[in-house]
Amino acid sequence: MQLDETNIMLELHRIAQRQFPWQRGFVKPQNAYRFLYVYGQGKCADHFAAKHGITITNFVVCAFAFFWATYNNPVPLTPISDSLNPAMIEAALKVIALSPEVARLKAREMRKIALEKNGGKELSRTIYQPSVLREFPIVRVGRNLIAPLPDLIMYRATSGLFFDIVGNGQELINDANQRFEEYARLLIKSHMPRFEVLEAQLYRFNKSEAQTPDVLVS
């Protein structure tokens, strides 16, 4: 409804960036490793623990428990594993769950902000519609946990850790960016040891200093 012959190529990558992860699934060891490597150590990890009272590692463990408990039934009929510390579970739920009342208020506020940023008009692209479930995929009603889209629990515990970093200063963003570059170099070197993998290099161009791409493969 929103495309014509002039902009379809511009839209394909945006659609793919959102569609492919759902097709592949979020519950993958490499996803957990990648985002724990990027966010689960250094300044990002310290910030998360100070903000939420739980380490990122323990939060991801709880998220796995929430995911498996809700995967076959959006309202789990059995309690979360007794092997997990109740205080840890409660701290994790504060990060990832909202009551219906608070979820409605937050969703309304997100919609209002999106409309204001778009000049009072509805967002034309579905993929850009705000969703409270991306950041808070569990709705908590008393002792019941409801997960309309259980996959979003693991999204929140992997790439969704970005929600805890964004808006808290450039220092945290720089820390995450640097670690992602380290991860990329480690991944390439591990899979293709015959290559030399280098960090970004400074060079002179038109009498000024410039920088190469973040990862160089020789």
Side-chain angles (χ1 to χ4, degrees):
M1 292 172 62
Q2 304 297 333
L3 296 178
D4 58 43
E5 68 279 2
T6 63
N7 65 4
I8 188 167
M9 295 303 291
L10 297 175
E11 291 299 313
L12 286 178
H13 76 91
R14 296 190 178 110
I15 295 169
Q17 286 170 14
R18 288 156 178 80
Q19 179 176 333
F20 292 167
W22 280 96
Q23 290 177 327
R24 294 169 181 155
F26 297 103
V27 188
K28 292 181 176 292
Q30 57 266 40
N31 275 5
Y33 181 86
R34 178 190 309 146
F35 292 107
L36 281 173
Y37 190 95
V38 173
Y39 299 118
Q41 52 184 324
K43 295 176 182 177
C44 293
D46 294 340
H47 171 79
F48 187 97
K51 179 180 179 181
H52 297 301
I54 183 174
T55 66
I56 286 182
T57 302
N58 285 341
F59 170 68
V60 172
V61 168
C62 290
F64 271 116
F66 301 148
F67 172 76
W68 289 118
T70 58
Y71 187 69
N72 290 319
N73 189 334
V75 185
L77 302 179
T78 56
I80 302 300
S81 172
D82 293 335
S83 62
L84 294 179
N85 185 309
M88 192 168 82
I89 291 175
E90 190 61 33
L93 283 172
K94 288 180 180 178
V95 180
I96 207 171
L98 292 176
S99 69
E101 295 78 16
V102 175
R104 289 190 192 102
L105 289 173
K106 188 171 282 289
R108 194 175 297 130
E109 183 64 23
M110 291 172 70
R111 177 178 165 79
K112 179 183 175 183
I113 292 172
L115 284 170
E116 289 174 353
K117 287 184 177 180
N118 203 39
K121 299 178 182 178
E122 289 283 353
L123 293 171
S124 60
R125 298 180 179 92
T126 302
I127 55 175
Y128 292 141
Q129 295 287 351
S131 171
V132 71
L133 292 177
R134 288 194 187 101
E135 188 173 356
F136 302 96
I138 294 176
V139 179
R140 193 175 186 181
V141 183
R143 299 183 63 182
N144 292 324
L145 306 180
I146 304 171
L149 295 169
D151 291 82
L152 283 179
I153 296 174
M154 293 316 302
Y155 164 83
R156 180 64 177 84
T158 51
S159 59
L161 291 170
F162 179 74
F163 286 117
D164 301 291
I165 305 304
V166 67
N168 289 285
Q170 191 60 39
E171 187 178 17
L172 291 180
I173 298 294
N174 292 342
D175 185 59
N177 288 343
Q178 180 183 359
R179 197 156 286 110
F180 180 75
E181 293 168 18
E182 292 174 5
Y183 165 80
R185 292 193 295 269
L186 175 64
L187 185 69
I188 295 170
K189 189 67 177 175
S190 298
H191 283 282
M192 295 173 283
R194 66 187 184 279
F195 291 130
E196 183 180 4
V197 187
L198 304 172
E199 300 178 14
Q201 306 291 312
L202 291 175
Y203 64 96
R204 303 290 296 181
F205 180 74
N206 286 345
K207 298 182 180 180
S208 62
E209 215 170 48
Q211 194 173 40
T212 68
D214 297 328
V215 178
L216 299 176
V217 180
S218 171

